[in-house]
């Protein structure tokens, strides 16, 4: 599940392989970019912004992508003396973009968002985002202010809204609610002071701890089957109390999202609905 830590790590890999090198061949496999050719331009920088990737290209252009639920960028070294764009990345119908330099080729796979824009217009796709948990703009006080501006909103939805803070996805939202011993459906404004600030500090700490590792961990257990406390553990015993972990839904009826929780450690507030009305913003 790509979240802020995955995107940060992806950006570092792409930057290390491609930045500072001229693109020898490009192949965009989405209709509106099918005729675009960036060969000859230098890839200047790859920057993560929350769950977005910005690949800046010589000439004031930016390739903007979002990994969504299943997207990925993969990099491989080219055969000696070649800049081939063929093979090595899985089913070709899943590839949305290929960018090659003399030494490496990067493939964008199953990308739900892929577009080319002017670098000066990046604000149009990431300007709405809140402070980035892994970015230089991280500001706990500002993130807390945004998180609490709609006090009746369920905690899980407030955490997932990228306008509040950028980088949290389903995994961390569920794990943070568990760490706070708070129901995902508790109104965010009901959290006692200073829990919101502590929750944001925990979010920052978890993403920083996981950004260099492919295996995500939110618990202190050394066991490989206990990396996560509740996410993906439906019907398995809670590590704290042994109660089976359950799932519920939230968000708009046309686009519900699943959340994992322990009904004993995180009892729902009285009268709480498992379906919230607010949409999520990437």
């Amino acid at each position: 599940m790509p979240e802020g830590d995955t995107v940060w790590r992806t950006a570092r890999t792409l930057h290390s392989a491609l930045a500072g090198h001229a693109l020898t061949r490009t192949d965009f496999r989405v209709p509106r970019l099918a005729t675009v050719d960036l060969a000859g331009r230098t890839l200047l920088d790859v920057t993560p912004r929350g769950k977005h990737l910005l690949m800046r290209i010589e000439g004031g252009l930016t390739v903007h992508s979002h990994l969504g639920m299943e997207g990925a960028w993969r990099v491989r070294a080219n055969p000696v003396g070649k800049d081939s764009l063929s093979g090595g990345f899985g089913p070709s119908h899943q590839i949305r973009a290929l960018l090659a330099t003399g030494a490496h080729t990067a493939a964008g796979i199953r990308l739900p968002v892929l577009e080319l824009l002017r670098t000066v217009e990046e604000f149009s796709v990431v300007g709405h985002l809140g402070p980035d948990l892994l970015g230089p703009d991280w500001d706990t006080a500002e993130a807390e202010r945004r998180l609490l501006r709609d006090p009746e909103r369920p905690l899980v939805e407030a955490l997932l809204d990228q306008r509040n803070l950028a980088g949290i996805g389903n995994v961390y939202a569920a794990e943070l609610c568990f760490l706070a011993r708070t129901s995902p459906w508790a109104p965010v404004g009901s959290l006692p002071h200073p829990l919101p600030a502590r929750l944001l500090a925990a979010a920052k700490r978890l993403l920083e701890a996981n950004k260099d590792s492919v295996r995500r961990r939110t618990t202190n257990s050394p066991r490989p089957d206990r990396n996560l406390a509740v996410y993906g553990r439906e019907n398995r015993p809670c590590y704290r109390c042994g109660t089976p972990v359950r799932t519920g839904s939230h968000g708009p009826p046309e686009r519900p999202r699943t959340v994992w929780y322990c009904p004993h450690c995180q009892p729902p507030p009285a009268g709480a609905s498992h379906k919230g009305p607010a949409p999520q913003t990437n």
Side-chain angles (χ1 to χ4, degrees):
M1 181 71 66
E3 304 200 11
D5 51 355
T6 307
V7 175
W8 186 93
R9 191 166 55 253
T10 298
R12 182 183 61 177
T13 299
L14 289 167
H15 184 90
S16 177
L18 305 178
H21 300 284
L23 296 168
T24 54
R25 294 178 65 190
T26 63
D27 183 6
F28 294 98
R29 301 179 182 179
V30 294
R32 61 185 172 185
L33 300 181
T35 61
V36 171
D37 183 4
L38 300 178
R41 298 174 186 255
T42 298
L43 192 147
L44 304 174
D45 175 71
V46 183
T47 296
R49 184 71 176 87
K51 294 192 284 182
H52 298 251
L53 274 169
L54 303 169
M55 305 171 72
R56 294 168 181 139
I57 311 294
E58 181 184 13
L61 298 175
T62 294
V63 176
H64 166 238
S65 62
H66 192 288
L67 302 185
M69 301 288 283
E70 299 181 341
W73 279 94
R74 296 175 186 164
V75 177
R76 66 173 174 81
N78 296 331
V80 176
K82 298 182 179 180
D83 59 357
S84 172
L85 292 179
S86 62
F89 295 111
S92 60
H93 70 274
Q94 295 183 354
I95 296 175
R96 302 291 178 265
L98 288 159
L99 305 176
T101 66
H104 295 88
T105 298
I109 302 167
R110 298 185 300 273
L111 300 174
V113 176
L114 179 65
E115 58 186 340
L116 184 67
L117 61 150
R118 295 188 180 278
T119 301
V120 295
E121 296 173 350
E122 287 179 358
F123 186 82
S124 66
V125 293
V126 297
H128 66 287
L129 299 176
D132 186 344
L133 282 156
L134 293 178
D137 69 320
W138 175 248
D139 183 331
T140 302
E142 174 61 15
E144 182 178 8
R145 183 191 70 79
R146 293 183 179 221
L147 191 73
L148 297 174
R149 60 186 168 184
D150 184 357
E152 296 303 314
R153 195 173 192 188
L155 172 60
V156 65
E157 294 184 11
L159 288 170
L160 283 168
D161 192 333
Q162 303 299 295
R163 295 168 296 188
N164 294 335
L165 63 158
I168 295 294
N170 283 355
V171 178
Y172 284 116
E175 296 294 293
L176 287 166
C177 290
F178 179 80
L179 288 174
R181 296 179 179 264
T182 302
S183 165
W185 297 277
V188 66
S190 70
L191 272 60
H193 179 78
L195 185 55
R198 289 179 177 174
L199 197 59
L200 293 172
K204 172 71 169 174
R205 183 177 68 253
L206 288 176
L207 266 73
E208 289 283 358
N210 284 288
K211 69 181 183 180
D212 292 311
S213 174
V214 175
R215 186 181 295 274
R216 187 178 285 137
R217 179 183 295 277
T218 63
T219 73
N220 293 322
S221 174
R223 291 176 48 173
D225 62 334
R226 292 193 173 188
N227 290 331
L228 303 177
V230 289
Y231 179 85
R233 301 192 65 250
E234 184 178 7
N235 297 323
R236 298 175 64 185
C238 170
Y239 299 147
R240 286 183 185 145
C241 68
T243 302
V245 171
R246 295 179 59 187
T247 61
S249 64
H250 65 93
E254 68 275 10
R255 193 172 52 158
R257 300 182 75 165
T258 301
V259 64
W260 288 256
Y261 69 105
C262 172
H264 179 266
C265 297
Q266 303 166 266
S273 168
H274 286 192
K275 290 183 180 285
Q280 304 303 319
T281 299
N282 288 329

